[in-house]
Amino acid sequence: MTPEELRRLAESHEEARPEPRHRIKICVAAGCLSAGSDRVREALQNEIAQRGLESECEVKGVGCLGLCTAGPLMLVEPDGVMYQGVTEQDAPAIVESLGKKPVEQLVCPSDMSFFTKQYKIVLENSGVIDPEKIEDYIARDGYTALARVLEEMTPQEVIDEITRSGLRGRGGAGYPTGLKWSTVAKAGGSRKFVICNADEGDPGAFMDRSVLESDPHRVLEGMAIAAYAVGASQGFLYVRAEYPLAVKRLRTAIRQAERLGLLGNNICGTTFSFHVDIRLGAGAFVCGEETALIASIEGKRGQPRPRPPYPAEYGLWGYPTLINNVETFANVAPIIRNGGDWFASIGTEKSKGTKVFALAGRVRNTGLIEVPMGITLREIIFDIGGGIPDGHRFKAVQTGGPSGGCIPEQYLDMPVDYESLAKVGSIMGSGGMIVMDETSCMVDVAKFFMDFCVSESCGKCVPCRVGTAQMYHLLNKITSGEATMEDLALLEELCDMVKYTSLCGLGQTAPNPVLSTLQYFREEYIAHIVDKQCPAGVCQMRQ
Amino acid sequence: MNQPVRVKTLKIDDRDVSGREDETILEVARQNGIFIPTLCNLEGLTPIGACRLCLVEIKGVSRLLPACVTRVEEGMEVYTQSERLQKYRRMVLELLFSERNHICSVCVVNGHCELQNMAQILGMTHVSVPYRFPRLPVDASHERFVVDHNRCILCTRCVRVCDEIEGAHTWDVMGRGIDSRVITDLSQPWGESETCTSCGKCVNVCPTGALFEKGKPVSERLKKRQFLPYLTMMREERR
């Protein structure tokens, strides 16, 4: 399929279905679905059918609209009205109001800074297209980047474009994507693999899930472009089994793309072939670590192995393998379409582009956001997030999941980029952001993440297997008022040891939540140990 | 014609040494009489870098790397005995002792145990982390051997020898994190295992008293590990 044919397909898709007078776009991503958006959708369809308005009015399921806290969300076009918290009972009123005055009590002000402060690249189609229709994606310039790459660019030119964009891995560590691609491209051998890491396991994070549920083709297109650039002909999407909706939509998307010759053999009539298969992760957090993920795809126990050799050199079944995160792949097509320089003009000097965050915890507007790199934490939490509800006071924000740390108030005006976050003892991570107010006990937060690491450690290396269990035990002692200052010293010693001696990223970063809370909220630890009190009133002290 | 093997020169603890490009830091160190402690490593089995005792410092590398799986490189400067490394190694041992019920005085391999030896060599005088005292079973269903999970340090030597040398793959690991446990077949009693050939290799490679032979006086429960390199060599020769 050439770019010309793609364009014609997009046009014929539009023509075949004349624009209805009214179109109701309702979010059918997991968040709104769980709030009953499928029932609302059905109610709307029934209502429209009853009134015989089928030709004039269409109800369309779309991907995530972002403001999950107010779900189910819907967007009425062309009126441009957004409704929040819709129920089945609202269906008659909504259909009645089409083209007239909107239903006042349901309106979600779309001019609120939650929407206006965002910059959408990865999520540009999210909430706009039907994720189960490839034509919708193509109508939004989908697969044109792939077609162009195959027709006009050499693999090296593709890598150069990605390098120029300054894109860094969105899985957490921020490794330069162009460099990774060129390493795999240079690795010898005719057999190579591309893997998309969709094993998102951080507590409170749902960026990858939303992208896969809202715009699966974009990830596939990014993978195909990557495969062309590095010389791979087989790809794997490693998705956690807890994301059934994402898996279902991916399966549909792969089938659709194959039918149109955009995946599979001789893509777009060229000699390039690329097949994608889905592999389900059985719910082990450590399988997000690349070597453990590879072992899992190979059918082995999902345990990491020491690196080097890195997967770029020795990956799946020993062949050179490119592994990128969902969001990284989702950035590829827009970079090719608009050029690396365009992407590099967004963000900060060392962190380019945008980042998707899952904003959760004690903020008014929780949900999925995409912001340019370099935006401050204050803008995210107070402008986009709407601040702390119920008159409480901001205390800390936890970024980066179990590998990250808690950032206190004094750094609220810090720009959000890889380096700045690392400087204050946290990380970008995959993009979970949990806001806490004074009702949160920081020792308890550290204990929560340590508990997570204990149950998710694979058990292969001693520091992570036993060290995290000992650290959890000590934190438990502190929160129950049974610890001494010696225990705190031992905890700190273990943090250091586990951090520097563990085999993989899970163990190496497991102490981070403890270290960062100790750095900024040490007095809370002391209060638990010396005064036998929990300042936030969360921990129950044993007498 | 065979590819020429490249030789690298490097420094280990400020000593000039040389090694083939396919050799690891541990191998080269041992050839030169430089001691690097190991537990999960055993010559003849695939190294896995799991026990973390062999971690070394390499100049210019911020991370600590396991000597057993890190290949030598030209100009590398390796340090194996820094104070920091010794402290970490002792802590690894302390964590191992605290993890299960390692009570040497009532152990069948008291005096011949690699874990015990290592603690002596590395100067571990006490355990500063709390003991966990897990309740773990002892499986004596096999007619010749016993597995006592209280002594297991999860080095997976038994798993590897059974898979890589004997080819039976009777052993594996189940569970994760602190709940990991070696199992036979699909966690069935060892005595009921259909794959076990009763060859006894696992018992001989086990560094502690976790695997031992029945019906022998303690003094005779010495483990013989010399056969491994020999078997590997013979296998390579046949290829």
Side-chain angles (χ1 to χ4, degrees):
Chain A
M1 189 161 286
T2 63
E4 180 59 25
E5 283 171 319
L6 274 175
R7 200 174 52 76
R8 271 207 301 274
L9 184 78
E11 278 168 8
S12 66
H13 173 58
E14 295 295 310
E15 279 164 23
R17 309 184 55 187
E19 186 76 15
R21 282 243 315 275
H22 303 286
R23 181 175 271 165
I24 301 172
K25 292 180 168 177
I26 180 157
C27 174
V28 288
C32 284
L33 270 185
S34 65
S37 73
D38 50 343
R39 289 196 305 272
V40 179
R41 182 187 187 173
E42 215 182 280
L44 282 167
Q45 270 159 345
N46 289 342
E47 189 63 34
I48 289 164
Q50 266 177 24
R51 296 175 188 230
L53 295 171
E54 284 106 324
S55 57
E56 284 185 46
C57 187
E58 183 195 30
V59 182
K60 183 175 167 140
V62 294
C64 185
L65 282 158
L67 190 59
C68 304
T69 187
L73 288 166
M74 60 169 66
L75 194 65
V76 181
E77 285 177 344
D79 309 3
V81 185
M82 193 176 218
Y83 290 135
Q84 59 181 355
V86 186
T87 61
E88 295 133 274
Q89 286 80 39
D90 297 323
I94 290 170
V95 176
E96 178 63 40
S97 76
L98 290 174
K100 299 176 207 150
K101 223 167 83 70
V103 188
E104 206 65 59
Q105 69 271 25
L106 293 176
V107 169
C108 174
S110 53
D111 58 347
M112 62 197 273
S113 46
F114 179 86
F115 297 104
T116 54
K117 277 234 167 182
Q118 294 195 45
Y119 189 129
K120 296 198 171 180
I121 297 174
V122 170
L123 302 177
E124 62 183 354
N125 293 337
S126 186
V128 177
I129 64 165
D130 182 340
E132 297 186 2
K133 289 206 175 79
I134 190 170
E135 294 85 0
D136 267 29
Y137 180 65
I138 291 172
R140 298 270 299 175
D141 286 335
Y143 287 108
T144 50
L146 176 64
R148 212 183 96 206
V149 161
L150 296 181
E151 202 158 81
E152 300 167 13
M153 293 167 87
T154 64
Q156 187 55 47
E157 281 168 350
V158 178
I159 293 172
D160 290 344
E161 201 66 49
I162 296 295
T163 308
R164 194 170 312 129
S165 76
L167 175 65
R168 294 170 64 173
R170 297 291 193 249
Y175 190 80
T177 307
L179 184 58
K180 202 183 231 181
W181 287 25
S182 73
T183 315
V184 181
K186 278 188 185 146
S190 55
R191 199 153 183 226
K192 291 177 191 173
F193 294 100
V194 169
I195 296 176
C196 175
N197 185 345
D199 192 65
E200 180 175 60
D202 289 17
F206 50 91
M207 296 77 51
D208 294 351
R209 192 196 71 206
S210 288
V211 171
L212 294 173
E213 284 174 358
S214 306
D215 199 2
H217 283 289
R218 165 183 294 262
V219 181
L220 295 175
E221 186 179 3
M223 286 179 76
I225 293 170
Y228 173 75
V230 302
S233 57
Q234 174 68 50
F236 290 97
L237 266 151
Y238 190 88
V239 193
R240 61 195 312 225
E242 293 95 323
Y243 287 176
L245 187 62
V247 171
K248 182 177 146 250
R249 290 197 178 146
L250 275 171
R251 288 219 169 97
T252 309
I254 292 172
R255 218 170 36 240
Q256 290 170 341
E258 280 173 347
R259 206 177 302 138
L260 291 181
L262 296 164
L263 280 180
N265 287 329
N266 301 100
I267 297 176
C268 298
T270 65
T271 54
F272 173 65
S273 299
F274 182 59
H275 298 264
V276 180
D277 282 314
I278 296 176
R279 287 288 177 275
L280 294 190
F285 178 66
V286 74
C287 286
E289 200 277 342
E290 53 184 19
T291 58
L293 189 153
I294 286 172
S296 179
I297 293 183
E298 288 172 350
K300 297 178 188 146
R301 186 173 157 88
Q303 284 190 325
R305 60 158 177 81
R307 304 173 305 170
Y310 289 91
E313 184 193 339
Y314 188 93
L316 195 56
W317 292 297
Y319 296 101
T321 303
L322 174 77
I323 300 194
N324 277 142
N325 166 266
V326 169
E327 198 184 328
T328 314
F329 280 126
N331 271 303
V332 169
I335 289 174
I336 299 292
R337 259 190 280 128
N338 305 321
D341 294 327
W342 161 80
F343 191 81
S345 69
I346 308 157
T348 67
E349 199 198 331
K350 284 185 175 165
S351 303
K352 304 295 187 191
T354 58
K355 178 77 191 86
V356 181
F357 287 105
L359 191 58
R362 302 287 289 168
V363 277
R364 274 200 188 87
N365 308 325
T366 57
L368 193 71
I369 59 164
E370 182 172 358
V371 289
M373 295 274 192
I375 192 172
T376 65
L377 283 169
R378 189 183 295 279
E379 284 174 281
I380 293 181
I381 295 162
F382 287 91
D383 297 347
I384 296 175
I388 318 295
D390 310 329
H392 287 292
R393 210 182 133 73
F394 172 84
K395 186 173 193 178
V397 55
Q398 211 279 349
T399 73
S403 307
C406 295
I407 304 172
E409 201 175 357
Q410 73 229 55
Y411 296 113
L412 268 179
D413 292 305
M414 185 191 80
V416 174
D417 59 59
Y418 291 99
E419 280 73 24
S420 308
L421 286 170
K423 220 184 289 167
V424 297
S426 189
I427 57 163
M428 182 80 75
S430 53
M433 207 175 253
I434 302 168
V435 181
M436 290 169 277
D437 63 16
E438 77 276 5
T439 60
S440 298
C441 166
M442 302 315 278
V443 189
D444 187 60
V445 168
K447 189 174 89 170
F448 167 82
F449 283 106
M450 194 51 67
D451 186 21
F452 183 83
C453 289
V454 171
S455 58
E456 293 298 336
S457 165
C458 78
K460 183 173 180 178
C461 77
V462 184
C464 177
R465 182 180 75 228
V466 196
T468 53
Q470 289 286 2
M471 282 156 77
Y472 175 75
H473 173 76
L474 288 167
L475 286 165
N476 203 27
K477 247 174 124 176
I478 296 174
T479 55
S480 52
E482 292 169 345
T484 60
M485 289 304 281
E486 283 77 46
D487 288 323
L488 186 62
L490 181 59
L491 178 66
E492 291 190 273
E493 226 171 278
L494 279 169
C495 280
D496 176 76
M497 185 260 182
V498 172
K499 185 178 168 118
Y500 291 106
T501 60
S502 290
L503 195 159
C504 81
L506 197 163
Q508 287 161 9
T509 59
N512 285 358
V514 183
L515 286 169
S516 76
T517 47
L518 268 171
Q519 186 180 351
Y520 301 119
F521 301 96
R522 200 182 182 85
E523 72 283 355
E524 286 194 30
Y525 281 83
I526 310 283
H528 283 80
I529 296 167
V530 179
D531 309 334
K532 311 286 177 206
Q533 262 177 7
C534 175
V538 173
C539 306
Q540 294 297 314
M541 299 288 155
R542 252 172 251 142
Q543 293 307 316
Chain B
M1 209 176 78
N2 286 341
Q3 284 266 317
V5 177
R6 286 166 206 276
V7 176
K8 314 274 183 181
T9 56
L10 60 150
K11 276 193 163 87
I12 302 182
D13 292 338
D14 293 322
R15 273 173 60 186
D16 287 312
V17 294
S18 63
R20 285 201 324 262
E21 62 178 348
D22 58 347
E23 285 180 318
T24 63
I25 295 172
L26 181 68
E27 285 170 311
V28 174
R30 283 188 176 162
Q31 289 157 16
N32 289 279
I34 299 167
F35 172 74
I36 299 177
T38 56
L39 265 181
C40 66
N41 186 273
L42 189 63
E43 199 185 339
L45 297 179
T46 310
I48 52 167
C51 73
R52 315 308 279 173
L53 279 181
C54 71
L55 286 180
V56 291
E57 286 179 355
I58 295 169
K59 199 175 171 185
V61 179
S62 56
R63 286 193 303 147
L64 304 171
L65 292 177
C68 66
V69 290
T70 308
R71 298 270 166 92
V72 292
E73 270 169 43
E74 188 63 41
M76 212 179 215
E77 289 182 44
V78 183
Y79 297 94
T80 69
Q81 298 298 330
S82 74
E83 216 169 283
R84 180 176 174 221
L85 289 175
Q86 286 175 345
K87 183 179 148 203
Y88 288 157
R89 287 170 185 160
R90 272 199 296 274
M91 282 184 87
V92 164
L93 287 176
E94 287 185 34
L95 289 177
L96 278 176
F97 272 92
S98 78
E99 184 183 17
R100 298 199 176 181
N101 303 311
H102 297 280
I103 298 143
C104 299
S105 56
V106 292
C107 179
V108 291
V109 294
N110 188 9
H112 322 299
C113 170
E114 284 186 51
L115 181 67
Q116 192 183 32
N117 285 349
M118 204 50 81
Q120 281 168 1
I121 294 167
L122 297 184
M124 191 196 95
T125 52
H126 60 280
V127 176
S128 50
V129 292
Y131 285 99
R132 299 178 46 83
F133 300 116
R135 293 184 74 87
L136 293 168
V138 176
D139 176 5
S141 58
H142 194 281
E143 59 171 2
R144 285 173 55 204
F145 310 122
V146 180
V147 52
D148 179 355
H149 292 284
N150 293 289
R151 315 288 191 216
C152 177
I153 58 169
L154 291 162
C155 67
T156 67
R157 283 185 188 182
C158 52
V159 178
R160 283 174 285 156
V161 81
C162 188
D163 176 36
E164 296 169 11
I165 308 287
E166 178 62 9
H169 204 136
T170 300
W171 290 101
D172 215 319
V173 181
M174 71 168 232
R176 62 191 186 202
I178 197 79
D179 299 322
S180 303
R181 198 148 66 79
V182 291
I183 48 167
T184 41
D185 286 351
L186 297 170
S187 193
Q188 289 146 318
W190 195 359
E192 291 167 24
S193 167
E194 287 176 9
T195 57
C196 177
T197 60
S198 301
C199 71
K201 290 191 182 70
C202 51
V203 175
N204 274 299
V205 298
C206 177
T208 68
L211 296 176
F212 60 91
E213 209 167 332
K214 284 181 182 171
K216 269 190 181 174
V218 167
S219 58
E220 281 175 33
R221 281 195 185 127
L222 294 176
K223 305 215 168 175
K224 303 174 201 72
R225 306 199 172 96
Q226 305 82 330
F227 69 95
L228 263 186
Y230 173 75
L231 285 181
T232 319
M233 188 185 75
M234 292 306 284
R235 192 171 59 172
E236 295 296 319
E237 295 263 302
R238 261 208 310 275
R239 270 191 191 151

